[in-house]
DNA sequence: GATGAATGAGCGTTCATTCAT
DNA sequence: GATGAATGAACGCTCATTCAT
C-alpha cells in the first residue's frame, strides 16, 4: 500500500504526463538544494503547475521524493541494457556496461548524489524498494562479470565485491565530482579505472610478502 | 571568517567542554534522523543543556552541522595514524591502514553516511574545508601505497584512483551496510576486499583480448 | 434574493430530482460529521453526482446547508399534521402531536442536532427563515394546547412556554441521546415526559411555601 | 492521555495565566463565529499573544476547543453552588439554583450555544468528559429536587426527567434567545418557567380524560 | 446538462532564533 | 554564563470554486 502513490486523477496518460513534469522539476531541485530545503512551491513553480495540481497526483511531499528516486534508479536500469544490447563479445560487453553506467552517472550527477542523500528520508518499505532497484542494476554488471569468467577472460573473482567495486567507481565520479572533475575527463577516469581494476597490483615479491602476511 | 565558529563565551576550556557535549549529541541525532529533521530542541535535550546555551557557543544551526562534520572527519584522521604507528613493514602498514579505516567507518556508520548526506548543506567555503580534511585522510592511504611501490611490493599503480578505490571500499561498508552487514562480517569484507584489490583479474587470454580492445 | 437558491439548470423536475439527491447526501454527512468537516467532494461522492453538477444546482456550499436545513425543518412540519389528522379529541390530539414530534426527532436525531449546530453558520436572513419554520411547527403544538384549554381539559396555561417545554422535551431526546438512549426507550421517555409535564409537582404544603416565597 | 492537554512550558502559574488569556479569547470567538471559522491567528490576535505562544501551551487547535468547553462547563459548576450556599430552606434553594443556572446561561449565552454546537467536534473520550461535567452540574439541580421531595414540598416526581426539564429550560433561554429575548426579560422568563414547571396543567376533567387515554 | 482537472488563498503548525531574567 | 518563554516567517496541505471539454 505505502509502495504505491495515490492519485486523485484517474486518467493514466494524464497521470503520466503530470507526474513527469512534477518529478522532473523535483529531481532537479532536490539534486541542487536537497529534499528538505526544496518547497512544494518551488517544485510547483519549476514544473509550471499549481500547488493544488501537485496534490492531485501525489499524497504528500514524501511521495514526490519516492517517485523522484524511483525515476532516477529506473533510468540507470534503462540505460545500461541499451548500451550493451548490440555488443556480444564478453569483455567488450563488460567494458560497455561500465562505460554506460559511468555515463549515466555523469549525465545526472545531481541525481546520483540525491539518491545517496535522501533515500534515508523514506520510510523503511519504500527505502527497501529503492534498494531492490539498485540491486537490479547491479545484477546487470554482475552478469557481465560472470560472462567474462565463463569465457575464460577473467580469473575466478569475487563477483559480489567486484560488482560493488565497479558500482562505487561509477558513483564516485558523481560523489567525488569536486575532486575528479577538475582533474580529468570522464574518459580518462574510465580508462584509468578499468586499468586499475583489471590489472594486478602486487609484484612477484609483493605476492610473496602478502602471502606471508596472511599466515 | 565563515570558517570559524563564533562563541559568546570566551573561556576556552568551557568552549571545548560545552561544544563537546553539543556536537556529540548532534552527531548522534544527525546520523540517525538527518540534519533537517533534527531540531535544536532535540540536540539541547540530548546534550542536556538548554537551547540558550547552545546559542552561546554557536551562531546558528549550520554551525552545529559544520562542527559535527569537522569532528567526524577529524576522528578518521586521528584513528588511522594511530593504527599504523607501530607497524613499519610497508605492506603490513598498508594493510593496517585499510583495516583501521574500515574499522572507523564501521564504528561510526551513521557518521559516515551523515558526511555523505549533509556536506552539501554547508556553504561552499565550509564544504571545501571538509573536503580538504577528507583529502588529508586520503593522503595517509596514498602514502602507504607509495611506500609499497617504493619498496617494490606494488607495481607502478594509479595512486590517485587506487586511493579512492580503497576509500570508497571503506565507505561502501557504511553506505551499503543494508547489503553487506547481513551477508558478512567486517573481517570477511576486509579480507575479500583486499584480495580483490590486490590480485589480477585478467587471465593471460583476457589480457590479450583487453589489449586488442584498446587498439 | 438571498432567500432563494439559484440554479443554472432551468428544468424544474430536474432541479427537484438533483437537489433531492444532493440534499439527502448532505444531510447525512452534515449530521454525521458537521458542516465544515464535510467537503463538497464528499457530498458529490455520496450523492453519486459530480462536483460540477452540484454547482449547477446551487451557488455555493452554504446553499447546500440552507437547503438541507430547510428540508429538515419542513420534514417536521410534514409529519406532525399527518400524525394528528385522524384524531379529533383534544387531549388525544395533543398526545399524538407530542408523540409524533418526538418520533420525528427520534428518526432523524442527527438532523435535529445538525439544526442546533449549524443554523448559526447561515447569514441572518436565512437563519431567520429557518427560525420561522421552527415557529410554524411550534404553532402546531400550541394549537393542540389551546384546544385542550378551550375544551376545559387544561388549566389556563402559559402557552408560549409550555409549547417550548414540549419542543425542548422532544429535542432533548436527540440532543441528550447519549444520556437517554442507554437508559430508556423512546416510549418510556414519552410516557414519563407527558406525566411530568401534565401533573402537579407541589404538595399543598409546597404550594403555601411557594406562595410565601413569591411575596 | 488524550484527556490532558500538553504544555511545552512547565511553570504552573504561567500555564494558568497564558491558557487563561488564550481560552478566554477562544471562547469569545468560538461563541461568535464557531470553532471551524475561527482561526488560530484570530485567537492569537484576540488574546494578544503570538501564534507560537499558543502552541507552547496547547498541542493543537482541538486542545483549545477542549479547554474552552471545560472552562464553560466548569463555570456552570462554580456558579450554581455559590448561589445556593447561603440558602437553607429547600424550596428557596431549589428556586435559587434554577435562578442561578439561568443567570449563568444568560451571562454567557454564546458559551452555552458553543457547547451545543461544538462538543461533537471533540473525539469520543473528550466528549465523554464534557458530558460528565454536564452531569455533575445536573446533580446539583437533582439534589435540590430531592431535598424538596424529602421535605414534603414536592410530590414524588421523576427526578431524572424533571432535572433535564429544568436544564433544558435554562439552556433554552440561550438556544432560543432569538425568540425569548425580544419577548421578555430573564426575570419574566424565570418566573413564568417556574410557575409552569411547578403547577398542574390538567383540570379535574382533564385528569379523567387523561386516565382514560392511558387505558 | 454533466464532468472533474486545475487553481491558489488561506489554513494549522513548526522551529530557529532572541532576549529578559 | 545559563535559561527557556516568546516570536512569526514560512512550511505542507486542503478544498470551495471555476471552466474547458
Amino acid at each position: 500500500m505505502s509502495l504505491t502513490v495515490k492519485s486523485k486523477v484517474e486518467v493514466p496518460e494524464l497521470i503520466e504526463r503530470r507526474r513527469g513534469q512534477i518529478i522532473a522539476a523535483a529531481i532537479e531541485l532536490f539534486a541542487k538544494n536537497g529534499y528538505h530545503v526544496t518547497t512544494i512551491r518551488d517544485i510547483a513553480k519549476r514544473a509550471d503547475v499549481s500547488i493544488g495540481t501537485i496534490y492531485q497526483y501525489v499524497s504528500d511531499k514524501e511521495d514526490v521524493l519516492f517517485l523522484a528516486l524511483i525515476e532516477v534508479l529506473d533510468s540507470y536500469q534503462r540505460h545500461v541494457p541499451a548500451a550493451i544490447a548490440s555488443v556480444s563479445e564478453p569483455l567488450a560487453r563488460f567494458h560497455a556496461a561500465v562505460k554506460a553506467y559511468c555515463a549515466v552517472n555523469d549525465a545526472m550527477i545531481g541525481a546520483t548524489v540525491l539518491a545517496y542523500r535522501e533515500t534515508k528520508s523514506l520510510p523503511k518499505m519504500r527505502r527497501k524498494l529503492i534498494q531492490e532497484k539498485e540491486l537490479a542494476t547491479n545484477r546487470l554488471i554482475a552478469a557481465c562479470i560472470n560472462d567474462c569468467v565463463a569465457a575464460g577472460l577473467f580469473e575466478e573473482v569475487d563477483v559480489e565485491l567486484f560488482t560493488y567495486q565497479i558500482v562505487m567507481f561509477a558513483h564516485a565520479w558523481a560523489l567525488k565530482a569536486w575532486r575528479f572533475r577538475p582533474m580529468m575527463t570522464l574518459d580518462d577516469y574510465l580508462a584509468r579505472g578499468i586499468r586499475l581494476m583489471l590489472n594486478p597490483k602486487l609484484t612477484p615479491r609483493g605476492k610473496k610478502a602478502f602471502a606471508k602476511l596472511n599466515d
Side-chain angles (χ1 to χ4, degrees), chain A residues 31-32 36-37 91-92 95 116-118 120-121 131 134-135 151-155 157-158 160-162 164-165 168 172 175-176 178-180 183-184 189 192-194 196-203 205-206 209-210 213:
Chain A
K32 184 157 62 173
H36 289 99
V37 173
L91 203 54
H95 190 264
Y116 273 83
R117 291 186 75 186
E118 305 294 4
K120 253 201 139 184
S121 300
Q131 292 168 346
E134 179 179 312
L135 291 179
L153 297 162
F154 282 177
E155 303 278 357
V157 77
D158 190 329
E160 173 75 21
L161 255 56
F162 191 22
Y164 263 105
Q165 193 175 58
M168 295 311 291
L175 294 168
K176 308 297 180 189
W178 55 271
R179 177 68 179 166
F180 294 132
M183 288 179 85
M184 57 184 112
Y189 181 74
R192 290 170 61 176
I194 289 283
L196 179 78
M197 291 189 285
L198 294 189
N199 286 149
K201 264 131 264 170
L202 291 172
T203 59
R205 207 153 68 73
F210 185 55
L213 209 68

Short mmCIF file of all heavy atoms in Angstrom, two decimals, chain A residues 31-32 36-37 91-92 95 116-118 120-121 131 134-135 151-155 157-158 160-162 164-165 168 172 175-176 178-180 183-184 189 192-194 196-203 205-206 209-210 213:
data_model
loop_
_atom_site.label_atom_id
_atom_site.label_comp_id
_atom_site.label_asym_id
_atom_site.label_seq_id
_atom_site.Cartn_x
_atom_site.Cartn_y
_atom_site.Cartn_z
N ALA A 31 18.09 17.67 -6.30
CA ALA A 31 19.51 17.45 -6.58
C ALA A 31 20.32 18.71 -6.23
O ALA A 31 21.40 18.63 -5.67
CB ALA A 31 19.72 17.06 -8.03
N LYS A 32 19.76 19.84 -6.59
CA LYS A 32 20.52 21.07 -6.36
C LYS A 32 20.49 21.51 -4.90
O LYS A 32 21.52 21.87 -4.34
CB LYS A 32 19.97 22.20 -7.26
CG LYS A 32 20.78 23.48 -7.15
CD LYS A 32 20.65 24.39 -8.36
CE LYS A 32 19.22 24.85 -8.54
NZ LYS A 32 19.06 25.85 -9.59
N HIS A 36 14.76 18.59 1.84
CA HIS A 36 14.09 19.39 2.87
C HIS A 36 14.11 20.88 2.56
O HIS A 36 13.20 21.60 2.96
CB HIS A 36 14.74 19.13 4.23
CG HIS A 36 14.43 17.78 4.77
ND1 HIS A 36 15.32 16.72 4.65
CD2 HIS A 36 13.33 17.27 5.37
CE1 HIS A 36 14.76 15.64 5.18
NE2 HIS A 36 13.57 15.94 5.63
N VAL A 37 15.11 21.31 1.86
CA VAL A 37 15.21 22.73 1.53
C VAL A 37 14.25 23.10 0.39
O VAL A 37 13.74 24.22 0.33
CB VAL A 37 16.67 23.09 1.16
CG1 VAL A 37 16.78 24.52 0.65
CG2 VAL A 37 17.57 22.88 2.38
N LEU A 91 34.09 -9.40 -22.99
CA LEU A 91 34.92 -8.34 -22.43
C LEU A 91 34.45 -6.98 -22.92
O LEU A 91 34.40 -5.99 -22.16
CB LEU A 91 36.39 -8.57 -22.81
CG LEU A 91 37.42 -7.91 -21.90
CD1 LEU A 91 37.22 -8.28 -20.44
CD2 LEU A 91 38.83 -8.29 -22.35
N ALA A 92 34.05 -6.93 -24.19
CA ALA A 92 33.55 -5.68 -24.74
C ALA A 92 32.23 -5.29 -24.08
O ALA A 92 31.95 -4.11 -23.83
CB ALA A 92 33.38 -5.81 -26.26
N HIS A 95 33.01 -3.92 -20.72
CA HIS A 95 33.52 -2.56 -20.86
C HIS A 95 32.40 -1.58 -21.19
O HIS A 95 32.31 -0.48 -20.61
CB HIS A 95 34.61 -2.54 -21.96
CG HIS A 95 35.36 -1.25 -22.01
ND1 HIS A 95 35.03 -0.24 -22.88
CD2 HIS A 95 36.42 -0.80 -21.30
CE1 HIS A 95 35.86 0.77 -22.71
NE2 HIS A 95 36.71 0.47 -21.74
N TYR A 116 21.97 9.13 -2.77
CA TYR A 116 22.76 8.90 -1.56
C TYR A 116 22.28 9.74 -0.39
O TYR A 116 22.31 9.31 0.75
CB TYR A 116 24.25 9.17 -1.84
CG TYR A 116 24.97 7.96 -2.39
CD1 TYR A 116 24.93 7.66 -3.74
CD2 TYR A 116 25.63 7.08 -1.54
CE1 TYR A 116 25.55 6.53 -4.24
CE2 TYR A 116 26.27 5.95 -2.03
CZ TYR A 116 26.22 5.68 -3.38
OH TYR A 116 26.82 4.57 -3.86
N ARG A 117 21.87 10.97 -0.70
CA ARG A 117 21.49 11.87 0.38
C ARG A 117 20.13 11.54 0.97
O ARG A 117 19.93 11.65 2.18
CB ARG A 117 21.42 13.32 -0.14
CG ARG A 117 22.74 13.93 -0.49
CD ARG A 117 22.57 15.39 -0.84
NE ARG A 117 22.34 16.21 0.34
CZ ARG A 117 22.04 17.50 0.33
NH1 ARG A 117 21.88 18.14 -0.83
NH2 ARG A 117 21.88 18.18 1.45
N GLU A 118 19.18 11.21 0.09
CA GLU A 118 17.80 11.26 0.57
C GLU A 118 17.07 9.93 0.65
O GLU A 118 15.92 9.90 1.09
CB GLU A 118 17.01 12.26 -0.29
CG GLU A 118 17.61 13.65 -0.37
CD GLU A 118 17.63 14.41 0.97
OE1 GLU A 118 17.23 13.84 2.00
OE2 GLU A 118 18.06 15.58 0.99
N LYS A 120 17.43 7.81 2.72
CA LYS A 120 17.15 7.63 4.15
C LYS A 120 15.93 8.42 4.61
O LYS A 120 15.39 8.16 5.68
CB LYS A 120 18.37 8.07 4.97
CG LYS A 120 19.16 6.92 5.58
CD LYS A 120 20.00 7.41 6.77
CE LYS A 120 19.99 6.44 7.92
NZ LYS A 120 20.73 6.97 9.09
N SER A 121 15.51 9.40 3.83
CA SER A 121 14.33 10.19 4.20
C SER A 121 13.03 9.43 3.94
O SER A 121 11.95 9.91 4.26
CB SER A 121 14.30 11.51 3.43
OG SER A 121 15.47 12.27 3.71
N GLN A 131 16.29 0.21 -2.81
CA GLN A 131 17.48 -0.63 -2.73
C GLN A 131 17.37 -1.82 -3.67
O GLN A 131 18.35 -2.23 -4.29
CB GLN A 131 17.68 -1.09 -1.28
CG GLN A 131 18.06 0.06 -0.35
CD GLN A 131 17.97 -0.31 1.13
OE1 GLN A 131 17.38 -1.33 1.50
NE2 GLN A 131 18.53 0.55 1.97
N GLU A 134 18.35 -0.78 -6.99
CA GLU A 134 19.80 -0.68 -7.10
C GLU A 134 20.39 -2.06 -7.36
O GLU A 134 21.25 -2.23 -8.23
CB GLU A 134 20.39 -0.08 -5.82
CG GLU A 134 21.90 0.03 -5.87
CD GLU A 134 22.50 0.64 -4.60
OE1 GLU A 134 21.98 1.69 -4.17
OE2 GLU A 134 23.46 0.07 -4.07
N LEU A 135 19.90 -3.04 -6.62
CA LEU A 135 20.41 -4.40 -6.79
C LEU A 135 20.14 -4.91 -8.21
O LEU A 135 20.97 -5.61 -8.80
CB LEU A 135 19.77 -5.34 -5.76
CG LEU A 135 20.21 -5.10 -4.32
CD1 LEU A 135 19.51 -6.07 -3.37
CD2 LEU A 135 21.73 -5.25 -4.18
N ALA A 151 33.84 -17.14 -19.97
CA ALA A 151 34.58 -17.15 -21.24
C ALA A 151 36.08 -17.30 -21.02
O ALA A 151 36.87 -17.24 -21.98
CB ALA A 151 34.28 -15.86 -22.01
N GLY A 152 36.48 -17.47 -19.77
CA GLY A 152 37.91 -17.64 -19.50
C GLY A 152 38.71 -16.36 -19.65
O GLY A 152 39.93 -16.38 -19.77
N LEU A 153 38.00 -15.23 -19.60
CA LEU A 153 38.71 -13.95 -19.75
C LEU A 153 39.08 -13.36 -18.40
O LEU A 153 40.03 -12.60 -18.28
CB LEU A 153 37.83 -12.97 -20.53
CG LEU A 153 37.52 -13.42 -21.97
CD1 LEU A 153 36.32 -12.65 -22.53
CD2 LEU A 153 38.74 -13.24 -22.85
N PHE A 154 38.27 -13.65 -17.40
CA PHE A 154 38.56 -13.23 -16.01
C PHE A 154 38.95 -14.46 -15.21
O PHE A 154 38.42 -15.56 -15.44
CB PHE A 154 37.33 -12.61 -15.34
CG PHE A 154 37.04 -11.20 -15.75
CD1 PHE A 154 35.90 -10.55 -15.26
CD2 PHE A 154 37.88 -10.48 -16.63
CE1 PHE A 154 35.62 -9.25 -15.62
CE2 PHE A 154 37.58 -9.17 -16.98
CZ PHE A 154 36.45 -8.56 -16.48
N GLU A 155 39.89 -14.25 -14.28
CA GLU A 155 40.12 -15.29 -13.28
C GLU A 155 38.82 -15.46 -12.48
O GLU A 155 37.94 -14.61 -12.53
CB GLU A 155 41.25 -14.84 -12.32
CG GLU A 155 42.56 -14.51 -12.99
CD GLU A 155 43.38 -15.77 -13.27
OE1 GLU A 155 42.92 -16.87 -12.88
OE2 GLU A 155 44.47 -15.64 -13.87
N VAL A 157 36.66 -14.75 -9.69
CA VAL A 157 36.71 -13.47 -8.99
C VAL A 157 35.55 -13.36 -8.01
O VAL A 157 34.53 -14.04 -8.16
CB VAL A 157 36.71 -12.32 -10.03
CG1 VAL A 157 35.30 -12.12 -10.57
CG2 VAL A 157 37.25 -11.04 -9.43
N ASP A 158 35.71 -12.53 -6.99
CA ASP A 158 34.65 -12.30 -6.00
C ASP A 158 33.59 -11.39 -6.64
O ASP A 158 33.67 -10.17 -6.57
CB ASP A 158 35.28 -11.61 -4.78
CG ASP A 158 34.32 -11.54 -3.60
OD1 ASP A 158 33.10 -11.44 -3.82
OD2 ASP A 158 34.81 -11.59 -2.46
N GLU A 160 30.42 -10.57 -6.12
CA GLU A 160 29.68 -9.59 -5.30
C GLU A 160 30.49 -8.33 -5.06
O GLU A 160 30.03 -7.21 -5.31
CB GLU A 160 29.30 -10.23 -3.95
CG GLU A 160 28.68 -9.29 -2.93
CD GLU A 160 27.23 -8.93 -3.26
OE1 GLU A 160 26.57 -9.68 -4.02
OE2 GLU A 160 26.76 -7.88 -2.78
N LEU A 161 31.72 -8.51 -4.60
CA LEU A 161 32.52 -7.34 -4.26
C LEU A 161 33.07 -6.63 -5.50
O LEU A 161 33.18 -5.39 -5.50
CB LEU A 161 33.66 -7.72 -3.31
CG LEU A 161 33.42 -7.28 -1.86
CD1 LEU A 161 32.10 -7.83 -1.35
CD2 LEU A 161 34.56 -7.67 -0.95
N PHE A 162 33.36 -7.41 -6.52
CA PHE A 162 33.84 -6.80 -7.75
C PHE A 162 32.73 -5.92 -8.35
O PHE A 162 32.97 -4.80 -8.81
CB PHE A 162 34.27 -7.88 -8.74
CG PHE A 162 35.03 -7.35 -9.94
CD1 PHE A 162 35.68 -6.12 -9.90
CD2 PHE A 162 35.09 -8.09 -11.12
CE1 PHE A 162 36.39 -5.65 -11.01
CE2 PHE A 162 35.78 -7.62 -12.24
CZ PHE A 162 36.43 -6.39 -12.17
N TYR A 164 30.36 -4.42 -6.73
CA TYR A 164 30.26 -3.19 -5.94
C TYR A 164 31.45 -2.27 -6.17
O TYR A 164 31.33 -1.05 -6.10
CB TYR A 164 30.08 -3.49 -4.45
CG TYR A 164 28.63 -3.43 -4.06
CD1 TYR A 164 27.90 -4.58 -3.84
CD2 TYR A 164 27.97 -2.20 -3.99
CE1 TYR A 164 26.55 -4.51 -3.52
CE2 TYR A 164 26.64 -2.13 -3.67
CZ TYR A 164 25.93 -3.29 -3.43
OH TYR A 164 24.59 -3.21 -3.13
N GLN A 165 32.60 -2.87 -6.46
CA GLN A 165 33.76 -2.03 -6.76
C GLN A 165 33.47 -1.17 -7.99
O GLN A 165 33.76 0.04 -8.01
CB GLN A 165 34.98 -2.92 -7.03
CG GLN A 165 36.28 -2.14 -7.03
CD GLN A 165 37.46 -3.07 -7.16
OE1 GLN A 165 37.56 -3.82 -8.13
NE2 GLN A 165 38.38 -3.02 -6.19
N MET A 168 30.69 1.43 -7.10
CA MET A 168 31.23 2.54 -6.32
C MET A 168 32.16 3.40 -7.17
O MET A 168 32.22 4.62 -6.99
CB MET A 168 31.98 2.04 -5.08
CG MET A 168 31.11 1.32 -4.05
SD MET A 168 29.58 2.18 -3.57
CE MET A 168 30.23 3.58 -2.66
N ALA A 172 31.43 7.13 -7.52
CA ALA A 172 32.46 8.05 -7.03
C ALA A 172 32.65 9.23 -8.00
O ALA A 172 32.93 10.35 -7.57
CB ALA A 172 33.79 7.33 -6.80
N LEU A 175 29.92 11.31 -6.69
CA LEU A 175 30.05 11.69 -5.28
C LEU A 175 31.31 12.53 -5.03
O LEU A 175 31.33 13.38 -4.14
CB LEU A 175 30.09 10.43 -4.40
CG LEU A 175 28.81 9.59 -4.36
CD1 LEU A 175 29.06 8.24 -3.69
CD2 LEU A 175 27.71 10.35 -3.61
N LYS A 176 32.35 12.25 -5.78
CA LYS A 176 33.59 13.00 -5.61
C LYS A 176 33.89 13.86 -6.83
O LYS A 176 35.05 14.09 -7.17
CB LYS A 176 34.75 12.02 -5.35
CG LYS A 176 34.52 11.02 -4.24
CD LYS A 176 34.34 11.70 -2.87
CE LYS A 176 34.11 10.64 -1.78
NZ LYS A 176 33.74 11.23 -0.50
N TRP A 178 33.74 16.91 -7.14
CA TRP A 178 34.56 18.07 -6.74
C TRP A 178 36.04 17.75 -6.85
O TRP A 178 36.86 18.65 -7.04
CB TRP A 178 34.22 18.50 -5.32
CG TRP A 178 34.32 17.41 -4.27
CD1 TRP A 178 33.33 16.57 -3.90
CD2 TRP A 178 35.48 17.07 -3.50
NE1 TRP A 178 33.79 15.70 -2.94
CE2 TRP A 178 35.10 15.99 -2.67
CE3 TRP A 178 36.80 17.56 -3.42
CZ2 TRP A 178 35.99 15.39 -1.77
CZ3 TRP A 178 37.68 16.97 -2.53
CH2 TRP A 178 37.27 15.89 -1.72
N ARG A 179 36.40 16.49 -6.74
CA ARG A 179 37.79 16.07 -6.82
C ARG A 179 38.18 15.69 -8.26
O ARG A 179 39.21 16.14 -8.77
CB ARG A 179 38.02 14.87 -5.90
CG ARG A 179 39.42 14.27 -5.92
CD ARG A 179 40.45 15.21 -5.33
NE ARG A 179 41.80 14.63 -5.33
CZ ARG A 179 42.90 15.32 -5.11
NH1 ARG A 179 42.83 16.63 -4.87
NH2 ARG A 179 44.08 14.74 -5.10
N PHE A 180 37.34 14.87 -8.91
CA PHE A 180 37.74 14.29 -10.20
C PHE A 180 37.52 15.23 -11.37
O PHE A 180 38.34 15.32 -12.28
CB PHE A 180 37.00 12.98 -10.43
CG PHE A 180 37.38 11.89 -9.46
CD1 PHE A 180 36.41 11.14 -8.81
CD2 PHE A 180 38.73 11.61 -9.19
CE1 PHE A 180 36.77 10.14 -7.91
CE2 PHE A 180 39.09 10.61 -8.30
CZ PHE A 180 38.10 9.87 -7.65
N MET A 183 40.22 17.39 -12.40
CA MET A 183 41.48 16.68 -12.68
C MET A 183 41.51 15.98 -14.02
O MET A 183 42.57 15.78 -14.60
CB MET A 183 41.71 15.59 -11.62
CG MET A 183 42.11 16.08 -10.26
SD MET A 183 42.29 14.65 -9.18
CE MET A 183 43.98 14.15 -9.54
N MET A 184 40.35 15.51 -14.46
CA MET A 184 40.35 14.65 -15.66
C MET A 184 38.97 14.62 -16.30
O MET A 184 37.98 15.04 -15.72
CB MET A 184 40.76 13.22 -15.27
CG MET A 184 39.90 12.58 -14.20
SD MET A 184 40.51 10.94 -13.70
CE MET A 184 41.06 11.25 -12.02
N TYR A 189 38.96 9.07 -16.65
CA TYR A 189 38.56 8.41 -15.40
C TYR A 189 38.21 6.95 -15.68
O TYR A 189 38.65 6.04 -14.97
CB TYR A 189 37.37 9.14 -14.80
CG TYR A 189 36.86 8.57 -13.49
CD1 TYR A 189 37.55 8.74 -12.30
CD2 TYR A 189 35.65 7.85 -13.44
CE1 TYR A 189 37.07 8.22 -11.10
CE2 TYR A 189 35.16 7.35 -12.25
CZ TYR A 189 35.88 7.53 -11.08
OH TYR A 189 35.41 7.01 -9.90
N ARG A 192 41.41 4.92 -16.78
CA ARG A 192 42.29 4.67 -15.63
C ARG A 192 41.64 3.71 -14.65
O ARG A 192 42.31 2.83 -14.06
CB ARG A 192 42.63 5.99 -14.93
CG ARG A 192 43.56 6.87 -15.76
CD ARG A 192 43.71 8.27 -15.19
NE ARG A 192 44.28 8.29 -13.85
CZ ARG A 192 44.58 9.41 -13.18
NH1 ARG A 192 44.37 10.61 -13.75
NH2 ARG A 192 45.10 9.33 -11.98
N GLY A 193 40.35 3.83 -14.48
CA GLY A 193 39.63 2.96 -13.55
C GLY A 193 39.63 1.52 -14.04
O GLY A 193 39.89 0.59 -13.26
N ILE A 194 39.33 1.33 -15.31
CA ILE A 194 39.31 -0.02 -15.88
C ILE A 194 40.69 -0.66 -15.72
O ILE A 194 40.80 -1.81 -15.29
CB ILE A 194 38.91 0.05 -17.38
CG1 ILE A 194 37.43 0.44 -17.54
CG2 ILE A 194 39.22 -1.26 -18.09
CD1 ILE A 194 36.47 -0.69 -17.26
N LEU A 196 42.98 0.08 -13.55
CA LEU A 196 43.22 -0.19 -12.14
C LEU A 196 42.52 -1.45 -11.66
O LEU A 196 43.08 -2.27 -10.92
CB LEU A 196 42.73 1.00 -11.30
CG LEU A 196 42.89 0.87 -9.79
CD1 LEU A 196 44.34 1.13 -9.39
CD2 LEU A 196 41.95 1.81 -9.05
N MET A 197 41.30 -1.59 -12.10
CA MET A 197 40.50 -2.70 -11.59
C MET A 197 40.88 -4.04 -12.22
O MET A 197 40.71 -5.08 -11.60
CB MET A 197 39.02 -2.41 -11.79
CG MET A 197 38.54 -1.28 -10.88
SD MET A 197 36.76 -1.05 -10.86
CE MET A 197 36.49 -0.25 -12.44
N LEU A 198 41.35 -4.01 -13.47
CA LEU A 198 41.61 -5.27 -14.14
C LEU A 198 43.05 -5.76 -13.96
O LEU A 198 43.31 -6.96 -14.08
CB LEU A 198 41.30 -5.14 -15.64
CG LEU A 198 39.82 -4.91 -15.96
CD1 LEU A 198 39.58 -5.03 -17.46
CD2 LEU A 198 38.94 -5.92 -15.22
N ASN A 199 43.99 -4.86 -13.71
CA ASN A 199 45.39 -5.28 -13.65
C ASN A 199 45.86 -5.62 -12.25
O ASN A 199 45.29 -5.17 -11.27
CB ASN A 199 46.28 -4.19 -14.25
CG ASN A 199 46.16 -4.16 -15.78
OD1 ASN A 199 46.28 -3.11 -16.39
ND2 ASN A 199 45.88 -5.31 -16.39
N PRO A 200 46.90 -6.43 -12.18
CA PRO A 200 47.45 -6.81 -10.89
C PRO A 200 48.15 -5.62 -10.25
O PRO A 200 48.61 -4.71 -10.94
CB PRO A 200 48.48 -7.88 -11.25
CG PRO A 200 48.89 -7.55 -12.64
CD PRO A 200 47.70 -6.95 -13.31
N LYS A 201 48.17 -5.63 -8.93
CA LYS A 201 48.88 -4.58 -8.25
C LYS A 201 50.16 -5.12 -7.59
O LYS A 201 51.15 -4.42 -7.46
CB LYS A 201 47.98 -3.93 -7.18
CG LYS A 201 47.29 -2.66 -7.68
CD LYS A 201 45.81 -2.69 -7.40
CE LYS A 201 45.07 -3.18 -8.66
NZ LYS A 201 43.66 -3.47 -8.41
N LEU A 202 50.09 -6.36 -7.18
CA LEU A 202 51.26 -6.92 -6.48
C LEU A 202 52.35 -7.36 -7.46
O LEU A 202 52.07 -7.98 -8.50
CB LEU A 202 50.83 -8.13 -5.64
CG LEU A 202 49.96 -7.82 -4.42
CD1 LEU A 202 49.47 -9.11 -3.80
CD2 LEU A 202 50.74 -6.98 -3.41
N THR A 203 53.58 -7.05 -7.15
CA THR A 203 54.73 -7.61 -7.88
C THR A 203 54.92 -9.04 -7.39
O THR A 203 54.32 -9.44 -6.38
CB THR A 203 56.00 -6.81 -7.55
OG1 THR A 203 56.22 -6.89 -6.13
CG2 THR A 203 55.85 -5.36 -7.96
N ARG A 205 57.41 -10.19 -5.82
CA ARG A 205 57.89 -10.07 -4.46
C ARG A 205 56.76 -9.65 -3.50
O ARG A 205 56.66 -10.13 -2.38
CB ARG A 205 59.03 -9.03 -4.40
CG ARG A 205 60.01 -9.26 -3.25
CD ARG A 205 61.38 -8.70 -3.59
NE ARG A 205 61.36 -7.23 -3.66
CZ ARG A 205 61.27 -6.44 -2.56
NH1 ARG A 205 61.23 -6.97 -1.37
NH2 ARG A 205 61.27 -5.13 -2.70
N GLY A 206 55.93 -8.76 -4.00
CA GLY A 206 54.78 -8.33 -3.21
C GLY A 206 53.86 -9.51 -2.91
O GLY A 206 53.32 -9.63 -1.81
N ALA A 209 55.27 -11.47 -0.08
CA ALA A 209 55.10 -10.73 1.17
C ALA A 209 53.66 -10.80 1.65
O ALA A 209 53.38 -10.97 2.84
CB ALA A 209 55.52 -9.27 0.97
N PHE A 210 52.77 -10.69 0.71
CA PHE A 210 51.34 -10.71 1.03
C PHE A 210 50.93 -12.07 1.59
O PHE A 210 50.17 -12.16 2.56
CB PHE A 210 50.53 -10.39 -0.22
CG PHE A 210 49.07 -10.27 0.03
CD1 PHE A 210 48.56 -9.38 0.99
CD2 PHE A 210 48.16 -11.04 -0.69
CE1 PHE A 210 47.21 -9.26 1.20
CE2 PHE A 210 46.79 -10.92 -0.47
CZ PHE A 210 46.32 -10.03 0.48
N LEU A 213 52.08 -12.37 5.06
CA LEU A 213 51.24 -11.53 5.92
C LEU A 213 49.99 -12.27 6.38
O LEU A 213 49.50 -12.09 7.50
CB LEU A 213 50.81 -10.29 5.10
CG LEU A 213 50.54 -9.00 5.86
CD1 LEU A 213 51.81 -8.46 6.45
CD2 LEU A 213 49.91 -7.98 4.93
#
